[in-house]
Amino acid sequence: MPILLVHVSATEAIAAVRAARLLGSKVYAESCPQYLFLTAEDLDLDGLEGSKFCCSPPPRDARAQEAVWQGFADGTLGLYSSDHAPYRFDASGKLPKGDATTFKEMANGVPGIELRLPLMFSEGLLKGHISAEQFVRLTATNHARMYGLAHCKGDIAPGLDADLVLWDPELRRTVRWTDLHDNVGYTPYEGREITGWPVTVLCRGEVVVDHGELHARAGQGRYIARRCPQPLADGAAQPAPSGAARWLGLKGKAWSPTA
């Protein structure tokens, strides 16, 4: 029976998944931004500042980060998720006892849903850790297949929903929580420089976000019944580029499907 392991972050765990897959086991694995861009050093801050980076499993070290990148590159890790945990940095969320909160009492998890794709686009795709095809698989196609939505999501193809993101691959942004759209109160990626940013988002062919402005209508969402999961696209293989990957290769602008 297939199994999905989430939040894989340790060098040894990635090696074990790789070995199992080479032996033919139906083992799939996922990882998250915090295991590419945070380390244990981020936890070692004065007072309660380190709690902003507290999640499970914890961020590790540069060696583990490199192992996660390699796992994405060779297909050992087939899914890239946010693990978004939007606990506010106050007594209503992260710090239930305020300044007296101990490690055992603080809420575990970090926010990351809005920066999930920009971080991977900037540091993964543009810096050569992964290809355009892999970016599409890790952020859209494989999620649709794993969660039973491939009949309508995850690629650019006739008959599928036109859920698209238009990227400016040259736009530079400095991450500031004040520019994000959550109510958490902080981001663990504050101050990070990112190259490449989504500028327009389409949902089923309709523009819902354009240059930071929300155009979605109340009730525009639609329930989709899941179907059976499908095998994930092999991250290590190099098939002919999908429609999504071909769009990503356009000079000056880049498209990707959303799942």
Side-chain angles (χ1 to χ4, degrees):
M1 178 177 294
I3 185 172
L4 172 63
L5 304 176
V6 300
H7 308 355
V8 179
S9 61
T11 302
E12 297 80 3
I14 295 169
V17 172
R18 182 178 293 111
R21 289 175 56 81
L22 288 173
L23 291 173
S25 297
K26 295 181 179 179
V27 177
Y28 301 101
E30 167 256 28
S31 197
C32 313
Q34 56 265 36
Y35 306 119
L36 291 172
F37 307 110
L38 303 178
T39 70
E41 294 181 1
D42 292 306
L43 295 164
D44 191 18
L45 300 176
D46 293 335
L48 292 170
E49 283 298 302
S51 66
K52 293 179 178 179
F53 307 91
C54 183
C55 57
S56 294
R60 304 186 188 276
D61 55 21
R63 177 172 171 265
Q65 287 179 330
E66 184 56 38
V68 175
W69 279 122
Q70 182 58 42
F72 282 133
D74 67 19
T76 301
L77 303 176
L79 297 162
Y80 171 67
S81 305
S82 71
D83 188 31
H84 185 59
Y87 297 110
R88 286 186 54 79
F89 192 62
D90 57 26
S92 70
K94 197 78 169 175
L95 310 172
K97 294 186 178 179
D99 291 344
T101 302
T102 67
F103 170 75
K104 294 181 179 180
E105 297 164 331
M106 66 182 57
N108 218 354
V110 295
I113 193 168
E114 189 169 352
L115 293 173
R116 166 183 168 256
L117 266 65
L119 286 167
M120 181 60 85
F121 191 97
S122 175
E123 306 305 302
L125 176 57
L126 295 187
K127 292 189 176 180
H129 287 287
I130 59 172
S131 66
E133 181 77 11
Q134 289 169 317
F135 178 82
V136 173
R137 283 197 295 260
L138 290 169
T139 62
T141 305
N142 280 352
H143 289 273
R145 292 185 178 187
M146 175 60 70
Y147 304 125
L149 299 173
H151 60 287
C152 59
K153 305 290 183 182
D155 202 352
I156 299 174
L160 272 63
D161 290 347
D163 296 344
L164 306 169
V165 180
L166 176 63
W167 293 77
D168 183 340
E170 298 179 351
L171 181 60
R172 296 178 181 271
R173 296 284 295 269
T174 299
V175 174
R176 305 292 184 204
W177 172 76
T178 53
D179 295 329
L180 302 180
H181 298 83
D182 58 52
N183 195 33
V184 178
Y186 79 98
T187 171
Y189 309 106
E190 185 80 22
R192 179 178 287 274
E193 299 291 332
I194 288 180
T195 301
W197 196 261
V199 293
T200 303
V201 180
L202 289 81
C203 177
R204 298 193 303 277
E206 294 188 47
V207 174
V208 292
V209 178
D210 189 42
H211 291 84
E213 296 293 327
L214 180 66
H215 298 284
R217 305 183 307 276
Q220 189 172 353
R222 184 179 68 187
Y223 173 75
I224 300 175
R226 292 174 54 191
R227 298 181 182 178
C228 292
Q230 297 180 13
L232 302 191
D234 184 359
Q238 299 296 326
S242 66
R246 287 194 293 272
W247 277 110
L248 271 170
L250 289 177
K251 183 177 181 180
K253 298 293 180 182
W255 288 81
S256 68
T258 57

